[in-house]
Amino acid sequence: MTFPLLALICIAALLGPLLALPRTWHVPVVIGELVAGILIGRSGLRLVDPGEPTFTFLADLGFALIMFVAGSHVPVRDQNIRSALGSGAARVVLVTAAAAAVGIAVAALFGTGHAPLYVVLLASSSAALVLPIVGSRSLKGPNVLAMTAQVAIADTLAIVALPLALNPATAGRAALGSLAVLASAAALFFLLHKAEQKGHRRRVHEVSEQREFALELRIQLAVLFALAGLAVWSHVSIMLAGFAFGLAVAAVGEPRRLAHQLFALTEGFLGPLFFLWLGSSLDLRELSTEPNMILLGLVLGFGAIGVHSLTRLLGLPLPLGVLSASQLGVPIAAATIGIQQNLLAPGEPAALVLGALVTMAATTLVSARRRLSTG
């Protein structure tokens, strides 16, 4: 990795904001970043090598931070959300049951043997995508609360289940590693909660703000990277470490100043670098030799929309059901882990990303409607 190459990566990543700039397009920034990676990576000009150790390590840092921010966005402290957990959980059960049937059928149809992975993908949601849409459109009401609770539950369960589903042969070891990471995150929650109650966090915040030490950011990053190290040591994806720590911070309450600092670090540098690395890792040429993988991606995307739309049977308006199908973190994580550990068939990582893009396109179309029915 050289500075000119890093400059090229940062310049290419600007394609994300450029495509998202026209408000009428409603294009998520991540799509432009993935496209930029595809253009300069294995599928395009081959200007960057996704296997280069420094590039890969920086991408891992971005991945951990992205999942941390996603976890911190889950509204675990919202009393209204808690009251909707029952109806949200019921919809998660319905979606998961339908996803199990569809996922097994898809794996049998394409002969990949990855039924557990497809079930998790079909049942997953993305709080990081759905919650900003809810906020920007000022969506309110009991149906919106229930949908938000459903998304939060599905997102959390899918992230915990993904390492087990990706490689069932090592599920026992992955389960123990997941328990170690989750137990550590729970312990951190209690420590943070105690520090908040005793006023320690407030004193650190005041000193940090007055002296411009950025102590909270330094501490959070140290803890996040320590959890990521535990995850790697215990053969679990850093995805779980980042998301679990984000949930712990969200449960205690994240200071606004710290949120802004993390936003700048994640969205300004390491997050775009990760998505560009992922795009550069995808070899779309494999799709030309494995056209069934294009069909697999489309089936997974439309299948996710279909199983989430079944929540209409439990009273959720169809547009909100489509919103709840929006995917980002889980399929991206599955593709990333699959590439790193060589767990997927040729073209399958691209198929997983294509499926996620289908759900994001549907979400974009639904959210772009001038009047979004919430029931």
Side-chain angles (χ1 to χ4, degrees), residues 80-93 146 149-150 153 314:
N80 293 324
I81 297 296
R82 294 179 187 179
S83 66
L85 284 177
S87 56
R91 290 181 174 122
V92 169
V93 171
Q150 172 197 337
I153 295 170
L314 296 181

Side-chain angles (χ1 to χ4, degrees), residues 9-340:
I9 290 170
C10 291
I11 292 170
L14 289 173
L15 184 60
L18 287 176
L19 287 180
L21 192 59
R23 294 183 181 273
T24 54
W25 291 9
H26 298 277
V27 176
V29 175
V30 62
I31 291 181
E33 293 164 352
L34 286 170
V35 170
I38 291 170
L39 291 175
I40 66 173
R42 288 175 177 166
S43 300
L45 302 175
R46 297 180 179 268
L47 300 178
V48 296
D49 177 14
E52 201 275 329
T54 304
F55 191 13
T56 301
F57 181 68
L58 289 174
D60 283 342
L61 293 181
F63 189 29
L65 278 166
I66 287 169
M67 296 313 300
F68 171 79
V69 172
S72 67
H73 282 170
V74 177
V76 293
R77 289 166 56 88
D78 192 327
Q79 295 292 338
N80 293 324
I81 297 296
R82 294 179 187 179
S83 66
L85 284 177
S87 56
R91 290 181 174 122
V92 169
V93 171
L94 173 63
V95 169
T96 303
V102 175
I104 293 171
V106 170
L109 178 64
F110 288 90
T112 61
H114 292 152
L117 171 61
Y118 299 159
V119 172
V120 171
L121 292 176
L122 290 165
S124 68
S125 295
S126 175
L129 280 177
V130 174
L131 297 183
I133 292 174
V134 171
S136 65
R137 297 298 305 273
S138 299
L139 303 180
K140 298 178 182 179
N143 282 323
V144 174
L145 286 174
M147 187 270 292
T148 304
Q150 172 197 337
V151 167
I153 295 170
D155 203 8
T156 303
L157 293 179
I159 287 172
V160 173
L162 181 61
L164 310 179
L166 257 175
N167 194 358
T170 61
R173 184 181 67 183
L176 291 176
S178 298
L179 286 175
V181 171
L182 293 173
S184 299
L188 285 168
F189 162 72
F190 287 112
L191 287 174
L192 291 172
H193 185 62
K194 276 290 183 183
E196 186 74 26
Q197 285 185 323
K198 293 182 178 296
H200 298 327
R201 203 275 308 164
R202 169 57 58 184
R203 287 191 287 272
V204 169
H205 173 79
E206 290 173 352
V207 171
S208 178
E209 188 173 22
Q210 292 169 3
R211 304 292 301 276
E212 298 183 347
F213 286 161
L215 287 175
E216 292 166 299
L217 178 62
R218 298 180 190 219
I219 294 170
Q220 296 274 34
L221 290 177
V223 173
L224 174 61
F225 297 151
L227 265 183
L230 173 62
V232 172
W233 178 79
S234 57
H235 303 284
V236 177
S237 171
I238 57 176
M239 165 195 68
L240 181 60
F243 191 78
F245 185 41
L247 285 178
V249 170
V252 175
E254 184 179 37
R256 185 172 299 177
R257 183 165 176 261
L258 175 61
H260 291 164
Q261 292 169 337
L262 285 168
F263 175 84
L265 181 61
T266 305
E267 299 299 329
F269 178 48
L270 289 172
L273 186 145
F274 164 74
F275 286 115
L276 194 137
W277 171 86
L278 178 61
S280 68
S281 300
L282 301 174
D283 191 350
L284 298 186
R285 293 183 179 91
E286 292 178 342
L287 293 179
S288 63
T289 58
E290 302 286 343
N292 59 317
M293 288 299 165
I294 298 177
L295 182 58
L296 173 61
L298 295 175
V299 169
L300 288 174
F302 286 108
I305 296 169
V307 298
H308 282 267
S309 297
L310 290 177
T311 52
R312 183 71 183 89
L313 299 176
L314 296 181
L316 191 70
L318 183 59
L320 292 182
V322 175
L323 276 182
S324 71
S326 183
Q327 299 177 353
L328 177 62
V330 174
I332 292 296
T336 302
I337 299 169
I339 291 170
Q340 292 174 337

